[in-house]
Amino acid sequence: MYSFKEIEEKWQQEWLKQGLFCAQAGSGKKKYYLLEMFPYPSGKIHMGHVRNYTIGDVAARFKIMQGYNVLHPMGFDAFGQPAENAAIKNKTKPDIWTHKCIELMRAELKKMGFSYDWKREISTCDAGYYKWNQWIFLKMFERGLAYRKAANVNWCPSCQTTLANEEVIEDSCWRCSAKVEQKDLEQWFLKITDYKEKLLEDLKTLKHWPERVLAMQSNWIGKSQGVQIYFRLKDRDTVIPVFTTRVDTIFGATYIVLAPEHPLVKEVSKGTPQEKQVLKFVAKVTKESRVVRSKKDVKKEGIFSGAYCINPANNEVLPIWIADYVLMEYGTGAIMAVPAHDQRDFLFAKEHKLAMRIVIQVPGTEYRVQSQMLEAYEGDGIQVNSGQFNSLPSQEAKIKIAQWMENTKIGKIETHWRLRDWLISRQRYWGTPIPIIYCAKCGTVTVPYEDLPVELPKDAPFTGEGGNPLNKVKEFVNVKCPKCKGSARRETDTMATFFDSSWYFLRFCSPKFDQAPFDKKETGYWMPVDQYIGGIEHAILHLLYSRFFTKFLRDERLLEFSAKNLGGPADLCGGDEPFLKLLTQGMVLKDGEVMSKSRGNIVDPDSIIKKHGADTLRLYILFAAPPEVEMEWSERGIEGAFRFLNRVWRLLESTEYGVQSTGPKKKDSEKLRKKIHKTIKEVTEDIDNFKFNTAIAAIMELVNEIYQDLNADIAEAVKVTVMLLSPFVPHLAEEMWQKLGNKESILKAPWPKHDEKFLQEKVITLVIQVNGKLRSKIEVPVDISEDKLKELILADERLKPWIQDKPIKNFIVVPQKLVNVVV
RNA sequence: GCUGGAGUGGUGGAAUGGCAUACACGCCAGUCUCAAAAACUGGUGGGGUCACACCCGUGAGGGUUCAACUCCCUCCUCCAGCACCA
């Protein structure tokens, strides 16, 4: 058994001492910026971290040995609620607790032997970092991208704070179980919607992002093209705009529905016999939280408003309904209902006995009777009952009707988006203070740049009573107006932590820079991130926000970079996409479930390090599954990895290095040489493609081969094995490298290259098929002629029963692989 | 419902038109040992046979091809994200 503990500690110190991972811009080498998503400092790393960071570390060490100038930084996403909860529970302060956690976590990361440039470490909770959050916020404010408006939020009356949708569990607060209310509050937003076109369009340039992440982002932005149609009230001039993507069904509209929150609800029902019931219904529905409303599916509730409007396409009079299945947040908050061609409208119409009319005929079938329909037909077909558009294919009619509506001004072609502006206000202490002051005289005033950072007060009270502790710190809240010097009040909302992580990759380029968030020269050199690695859970928000920030900073000319100048493909990067390549690693499961505290199925990485060492853990986690797939934890697998490393270690005893053996020079093995070069080729390609599991398998094969050939000269084979293994198990590799007589770190050794000439075979085994079935194998020289081959095959005893004297129809030769005889 | 992905031995997985199951785990047998562990050697998809031969086999069914885990069509199951999105 090799003494992993000693070896690992030794080399971790050595790397640090030699500063092997300290990056500097501008060497003659090509740059490579490798980044893994930085962790929240919980105090302990978990297997998810180990997997994420091990994958990154392999790539980093591989690129270093290939001669790249590698930037591989690490930091901590340190703001967030857990620190406040800990402060309340343990009678401590969030910053003390957080810094303690960071220390513990940093120590654990170091024990894994990751190749980070620790001189660049950042924590978002340090004023030296969040000062620049405030700086960027002010820049956005100046451009009108940061603004305040009233928003409907989830509010916990007992904690006195807003809750994210994820924090609302079954209509109650996740922390105190109080019933969550809907409340309108003044909140800060970022106008990400200004960038919706760019954010959607540029997804096309991200050719090295996983398909599913692109799909998720695209869905989230949610572009849909359609027509806004104006429905006039029957006896008044009031107009209800309605949005539809199915304008081809306009002649099938039989009623109109308004969302309960729609501003016209009161006006429309005013003076009708239904007025009272309508108001009662609206009051009831709007009281329910959004969470509850969207959860109860199927059952659609609604009520007739008492009013009517005119369908502008055919001047039909349609009743106006109010129903909870129409959402105020999407489109215009009003729809035209086409029960024959929309399933939701269909169900509602059946329930309330409303009219229905087919306007799209299913191709190849007879015109159907409405009463026979069991569900709405939502597909394409031929227009019927549609006036001048009859008998057109519905796809074509969609375009024609839209144009006709534009021309006659009864509608307007429009595009709707799902993406909303980003709510960044949090009524919490442990976050970046929003640098705004409210003055009775001057209104909303920004904190001057020279007054940044607005620092968090150290002595805020953490009582557990709820509410934002910042509100209780008088010295923080009561300030002088920067403009008129009169007394004013400071904003106490802090920023959502997603703000912090939306530009940290830029800060890493110049972590100590004090003139701006980042040094433009440094970002110009290092950006974009060549390879980004992290969990799929950040596929939407974090990545979208980071893309938004990068585009904004580029537009402000604060950030300028280009992949083209650095030899990257031109189409990959227009200087406003932060991450060139993205890898989303799979989760680590145990017994088929995600490892989590509540399930009690956590395996602590530290316990594995103690028992088998970091190298074993690294090797196992890489070998068990391809990086992007979820992997099942297995104790047996760990033991297998450990066994393999010991087997590799024992190779030292068999070489002339290490143990000073001075026997006669051993013979060269051609077979082994071939295997060496084949393995170099495979491993290099596999690491390039992040196929670490097969790369390791290939090295295992090489090791097996060495043991088969112990009587030959294995020195070269062992040397190559150690080099190929070094990105995966760096400590063991360094120690063996040194024992093999090398003076410098293996990281300074150039990555081995295979030589094509050793891969060429003189004699190969050809697979012989008859009618596509394997029947024989023969050994032939590589350069055998087809005629000669045919001769050999016809002479093969094993093939005779299959060929007999049947005529040969076809004779297919796949060079150096197989022959298929078709009879 | 929409979008994306997956389905291969007892298990994790490999092969993306050309020998299905590389590599590893597990299991079985053996060597060493008083014994055990470690290490090493051999075997290990199913059927069939004394043994070979041979047949079957990558979720199901069809198709393209000399040849399909791989490409096309239809369907099933599972996972993930989004969703009264008009």
Side-chain angles (χ1 to χ4, degrees):
Chain A
M1 198 170 97
Y2 81 105
S3 45
F4 53 84
K5 189 165 184 286
E6 207 178 292
I7 291 172
E8 289 179 0
E9 277 169 13
K10 169 182 162 187
W11 286 103
Q12 282 159 21
Q13 282 170 23
E14 194 60 31
W15 293 326
L16 211 62
K17 210 172 88 193
Q18 293 191 31
L20 285 173
F21 308 124
C22 293
Q24 255 194 330
S27 72
K29 301 168 175 178
K30 240 166 121 184
K31 72 98 185 179
Y32 189 82
Y33 186 178
L34 175 73
L35 186 66
E36 299 121 46
M37 292 178 185
F38 66 164
Y40 176 80
S42 58
K44 262 204 152 319
I45 58 170
H46 55 68
M47 282 303 174
H49 293 127
V50 170
R51 191 171 191 202
N52 188 172
Y53 302 151
T54 303
I55 292 166
D57 199 50
V58 173
R61 288 172 179 274
F62 176 63
K63 288 291 172 185
I64 289 173
M65 289 176 80
Q66 280 194 327
Y68 285 82
N69 189 20
V70 174
L71 173 58
H72 189 206
M74 182 42 73
F76 297 95
D77 188 13
F79 272 137
Q81 315 150 55
E84 276 183 76
N85 297 344
I88 294 165
K89 213 173 134 196
N90 308 332
K91 301 249 179 296
T92 171
K93 301 280 178 192
D95 70 322
I96 294 171
W97 185 83
T98 303
H99 281 103
K100 194 159 190 168
C101 286
I102 287 175
E103 247 168 71
L104 290 169
M105 207 135 164
R106 190 194 299 120
E108 293 215 319
L109 290 172
K110 285 187 173 171
K111 274 203 223 167
M112 286 299 299
F114 297 137
S115 58
Y116 298 130
D117 181 355
W118 284 108
K119 287 195 176 143
R120 289 177 186 256
E121 178 186 337
I122 54 178
S123 289
T124 57
C125 67
D126 292 342
Y129 184 88
Y130 69 70
K131 170 182 180 178
W132 304 111
N133 276 347
Q134 295 167 344
W135 191 93
I136 293 170
F137 177 90
L138 292 180
K139 290 284 176 198
M140 288 183 163
F141 184 84
E142 285 164 12
R143 290 291 169 274
L145 287 175
Y147 67 97
R148 212 159 99 104
K149 73 165 187 195
N152 193 251
V153 294
N154 301 308
W155 178 258
C156 172
S158 131
C159 302
Q160 294 279 302
T161 189
T162 53
L163 298 174
N165 281 339
E166 306 78 60
E167 294 165 342
V168 181
I169 296 156
E170 302 273 327
D171 207 17
S172 300
C173 172
W174 66 288
R175 183 142 48 108
C176 68
S177 300
K179 200 161 158 56
V180 171
E181 294 170 359
Q182 298 300 301
K183 200 171 163 177
D184 281 333
L185 278 182
E186 287 283 312
Q187 304 275 296
W188 283 97
F189 286 84
L190 297 186
K191 216 169 176 184
I192 190 172
T193 52
D194 267 16
Y195 280 84
K196 61 194 175 203
E197 302 264 12
K198 272 290 267 172
L199 288 168
L200 182 68
E201 191 59 27
D202 290 351
L203 288 175
K204 290 189 196 127
T205 69
L206 300 173
K207 304 226 165 95
H208 297 276
W209 279 37
E211 207 48 49
R212 62 172 168 164
V213 174
L214 294 174
M216 280 188 220
Q217 292 234 339
S218 175
N219 287 345
W220 188 261
I221 297 168
K223 181 180 186 174
S224 62
Q225 282 169 312
V227 180
Q228 182 147 312
I229 307 171
Y230 308 114
F231 287 78
R232 190 176 303 278
L233 288 197
K234 188 178 149 209
D235 39 21
R236 255 173 295 170
D237 273 347
T238 307
V239 164
I240 303 173
V242 154
F243 179 71
T244 181
T245 54
R246 290 295 307 273
V247 74
D248 50 318
T249 64
I250 177 70
F251 292 91
T254 51
Y255 60 103
I256 292 295
V257 191
L258 302 183
E261 297 89 345
H262 198 287
L264 288 176
V265 166
K266 273 186 195 151
E267 190 192 326
V268 160
S269 60
K270 196 159 191 171
T272 66
Q274 284 84 1
E275 185 178 0
K276 263 197 176 150
Q277 283 132 291
V278 168
L279 293 179
K280 227 168 102 185
F281 173 75
V282 169
K284 188 191 121 206
V285 175
T286 49
K287 222 174 65 193
E288 289 174 342
S289 80
R290 269 172 299 164
V291 181
V292 167
R293 234 176 98 186
S294 63
K295 267 195 180 150
K296 58 162 200 190
D297 25 42
V298 200
K299 189 75 185 160
K300 302 179 194 320
E301 284 187 75
I303 189 167
F304 176 49
S305 72
Y308 295 88
C309 65
I310 311 288
N311 180 348
N314 57 7
N315 295 320
E316 248 176 30
V317 175
L318 305 178
I320 300 172
W321 282 66
I322 323 282
D324 62 357
Y325 77 98
V326 174
L327 305 175
M328 195 56 223
E329 303 90 84
Y330 190 79
T332 60
I335 62 154
M336 64 172 201
V338 186
H341 303 292
D342 182 286
Q343 187 60 16
R344 292 156 302 173
D345 298 339
F346 180 86
L347 292 173
F348 191 80
K350 283 259 165 177
E351 176 86 23
H352 295 93
K353 302 203 165 42
L354 291 160
M356 203 182 292
R357 181 192 304 133
I358 291 174
V359 289
I360 310 272
Q361 190 188 325
V362 184
T365 65
E366 285 303 299
Y367 178 67
R368 287 185 302 180
V369 183
Q370 286 90 330
S371 60
Q372 288 175 346
M373 283 183 104
L374 295 172
E375 56 177 16
Y377 175 70
E378 297 183 336
D380 291 331
I382 305 297
Q383 300 289 135
V384 292
N385 287 329
S386 300
Q388 66 266 46
F389 300 98
N390 274 339
S391 75
L392 281 176
S394 56
Q395 283 296 337
E396 201 182 320
K398 200 185 252 182
I399 299 162
K400 292 240 163 91
I401 295 174
Q403 280 163 354
W404 169 67
M405 286 190 158
E406 279 240 321
N407 294 341
T408 54
K409 299 209 162 57
I410 57 180
K412 193 166 156 263
I413 296 173
E414 272 202 353
T415 304
H416 276 250
W417 302 79
R418 212 191 74 101
L419 184 70
R420 296 300 137 71
D421 278 344
W422 172 16
L423 197 168
I424 58 158
S425 282
R426 295 293 124 94
Q427 291 69 45
R428 295 212 174 85
Y429 167 84
W430 196 229
T432 305
I434 293 175
I436 291 288
I437 288 165
Y438 302 107
C439 169
K441 228 167 76 191
C442 312
T444 303
V445 181
T446 56
V447 174
Y449 284 99
E450 60 269 24
D451 290 355
L452 298 182
V454 177
E455 275 193 74
L456 283 171
K458 294 243 187 273
D459 50 359
F462 292 91
T463 57
E465 284 162 13
N468 185 348
L470 284 175
N471 284 328
K472 296 176 192 155
V473 185
K474 287 204 186 90
E475 312 82 80
F476 182 80
V477 177
N478 301 322
V479 285
K480 292 233 152 30
C481 169
K483 269 195 191 158
C484 71
K485 310 294 173 203
S487 58
R489 186 177 58 82
R490 189 188 292 284
E491 172 64 82
T492 55
D493 281 1
T494 52
M495 297 181 196
T497 55
F498 273 120
F499 195 107
D500 315 349
S501 55
S502 295
W503 66 281
Y504 78 110
F505 45 92
L506 299 171
R507 186 69 183 166
F508 274 138
C509 296
S510 52
K512 311 239 157 54
F513 195 59
D514 60 1
Q515 306 297 307
F518 44 85
D519 184 338
K520 224 173 141 180
K521 279 206 306 276
E522 295 283 331
T523 47
Y525 176 79
W526 291 111
M527 286 297 288
V529 173
D530 294 81
Q531 178 71 58
Y532 197 30
I533 306 172
I536 187 73
E537 67 273 21
H538 293 113
I540 299 175
L541 298 182
H542 165 59
L543 291 173
L544 193 67
Y545 296 153
S546 297
R547 296 179 61 221
F548 163 50
F549 268 52
T550 304
K551 288 176 192 304
F552 163 72
L553 293 167
R554 200 277 308 256
D555 287 354
E556 289 297 300
R557 302 189 156 273
L558 295 164
L559 178 65
E560 283 176 286
F561 65 85
S562 149
K564 215 164 125 191
N565 294 343
L566 296 156
D571 62 327
L572 284 180
C573 183
D576 63 348
E577 281 294 337
F579 312 122
L580 220 55
K581 293 189 181 185
L582 174 70
L583 181 107
T584 50
Q585 99 271 4
M587 287 187 294
V588 184
L589 310 180
K590 177 127 188 284
D591 313 315
E593 288 182 310
V594 185
M595 281 190 189
S596 74
K597 252 188 209 157
S598 56
R599 288 193 182 86
N601 61 351
I602 287 188
V603 178
D604 181 6
D606 202 44
S607 71
I608 306 295
I609 295 175
K610 282 208 177 83
K611 209 168 157 201
H612 295 293
D615 280 339
T616 295
L617 178 55
R618 293 169 59 117
L619 184 76
Y620 163 68
I621 217 157
L622 294 168
F623 180 61
E628 65 279 2
V629 177
E630 55 184 36
M631 63 166 284
E632 175 72 27
W633 180 262
S634 144
E635 208 64 41
R636 300 252 197 221
I638 282 283
E639 278 161 32
F642 186 59
R643 211 177 301 163
F644 172 70
L645 290 184
N646 276 300
R647 198 164 138 85
V648 171
W649 179 255
R650 282 197 307 273
L651 283 173
L652 277 179
E653 297 163 12
S654 311
T655 56
E656 52 191 284
Y657 303 98
V659 205
Q660 291 183 344
S661 76
T662 44
K665 180 109 175 92
K666 287 182 172 175
K667 252 180 49 194
D668 223 40
S669 161
E670 200 185 323
K671 200 173 143 221
L672 193 54
R673 158 121 9 88
K674 206 163 272 173
K675 188 70 180 176
I676 292 170
H677 287 267
K678 196 174 159 233
T679 309
I680 293 173
K681 186 170 185 233
E682 276 176 20
V683 172
T684 308
E685 283 170 6
D686 279 352
I687 297 183
D688 256 331
N689 297 320
F690 285 83
K691 289 166 71 182
F692 299 146
N693 54 331
T694 49
I696 293 166
I699 300 172
M700 285 173 169
E701 281 187 61
L702 175 60
V703 171
N704 288 343
E705 189 89 23
I706 296 173
Y707 272 106
Q708 303 262 311
D709 228 344
L710 274 185
N711 292 323
D713 179 7
I714 60 165
E716 178 67 14
V718 173
K719 186 182 146 196
V720 169
T721 300
V722 170
M723 287 209 272
L724 294 181
L725 269 176
S726 70
F728 304 101
V729 288
H731 312 90
L732 176 97
E734 284 280 22
E735 185 68 17
M736 286 184 73
W737 188 247
Q738 194 180 58
K739 285 216 155 47
L740 289 172
N742 298 285
K743 297 273 178 298
E744 281 204 302
S745 164
I746 197 165
L747 285 155
K748 297 205 169 168
W751 187 255
K753 285 200 168 77
H754 76 275
D755 189 333
E756 205 59 48
K757 83 173 177 242
F758 292 118
L759 295 182
Q760 282 154 16
E761 310 266 355
K762 287 198 193 85
V763 176
I764 47 162
T765 307
L766 272 189
V767 170
I768 313 298
Q769 298 180 331
V770 178
N771 287 344
K773 292 216 172 202
L774 172 72
R775 295 303 179 194
S776 181
K777 290 180 187 185
I778 55 171
E779 297 233 320
V780 294
V782 194
D783 50 359
I784 191 171
S785 74
E786 202 162 306
D787 287 342
K788 182 91 182 132
L789 187 60
K790 206 165 179 176
E791 209 172 288
L792 276 174
I793 286 169
L794 292 175
D796 189 334
E797 285 302 322
R798 286 201 283 172
L799 294 172
K800 286 211 168 130
W802 302 105
I803 298 176
Q804 291 169 348
D805 46 6
K806 292 173 201 156
I808 292 175
K809 272 200 254 171
N810 212 341
F811 191 79
I812 291 151
V813 181
V814 182
Q816 306 191 23
K817 268 193 183 147
L818 114 179
V819 175
N820 190 10
V821 184
V822 188
V823 297

